[in-house]
Amino acid sequence: MGANQSAVYARNEANELFTPQKSGQVLTFHSSSKWRSHFQSSRQTNKLMVIHFTAAWCGPCRTMEPVIRDFAAKYVGVEFIQIDVDELEAVAREYAVQALPAFILIKKGKTVDKVAGAEKAALQNKIEKCMFYF
């Protein structure tokens, strides 16, 4: 998104503003303030959020990118977020990210599970478990 373009917003049933997410889309944040705003608004929903912590120099992270896009297309009720640890270091520290790739699963603002490493099957199992049980 260019600097001169503005975000497109819509309203949900509760008349709250949000950025529409297409099926299969992975949201990427490059600003701590935009991340915090999005996170605060997501706390009001029961939607599972999967945060993929990544870095441009991380080979296993790049390997997981198409997996995450596939999961985003498959699990349309789940919100997938990508955060580069070099861009948003404070956010990575907040979630105690120590290895990459790291996946934090959040529901109603609380961490419900984690996966460290390029573990596709483990991540898929945890997504399916957390979608319904938390």
Side-chain angles (χ1 to χ4, degrees):
M1 187 176 226
N4 293 333
Q5 295 177 335
S6 61
V8 176
Y9 292 97
R11 293 189 180 271
N12 62 13
E13 294 85 21
N15 205 29
E16 300 165 320
L17 283 175
F18 71 101
T19 305
Q21 180 176 347
K22 297 176 186 170
S23 175
Q25 181 179 357
V26 178
L27 299 176
T28 303
F29 289 90
H30 302 284
S31 155
S32 292
S33 62
K34 287 184 181 183
W35 158 248
R36 300 254 180 266
S37 175
H38 181 80
F39 178 76
Q40 288 302 323
S41 66
S42 74
R43 296 177 74 174
Q44 307 306 315
T45 72
N46 198 36
K47 190 178 215 180
L48 177 65
M49 177 187 296
V50 177
I51 306 173
H52 174 202
F53 286 96
T54 186
W57 47 263
C58 173
C61 297
R62 288 192 306 273
T63 300
M64 289 301 288
E65 286 179 12
V67 171
I68 296 303
R69 283 193 304 274
D70 290 345
F71 284 174
K74 180 177 181 178
Y75 302 111
V76 294
V78 177
E79 183 173 57
F80 290 85
I81 308 287
Q82 182 171 304
I83 293 179
D84 186 305
V85 298
D86 293 327
E87 285 185 61
L88 301 181
E89 291 178 43
V91 177
R93 274 194 309 274
E94 180 181 335
Y95 289 98
V97 173
Q98 297 179 1
L100 292 178
F103 302 92
I104 308 295
L105 288 77
I106 296 174
K107 216 165 192 187
K108 292 192 173 185
K110 302 211 184 287
T111 299
V112 294
D113 220 329
K114 300 178 182 184
V115 176
E119 301 291 335
K120 177 183 176 179
L123 180 59
Q124 184 170 12
N125 289 337
K126 291 186 181 207
I127 289 170
E128 290 174 0
K129 179 183 94 177
C130 293
M131 280 173 56
F132 303 110
Y133 296 113
F134 290 97

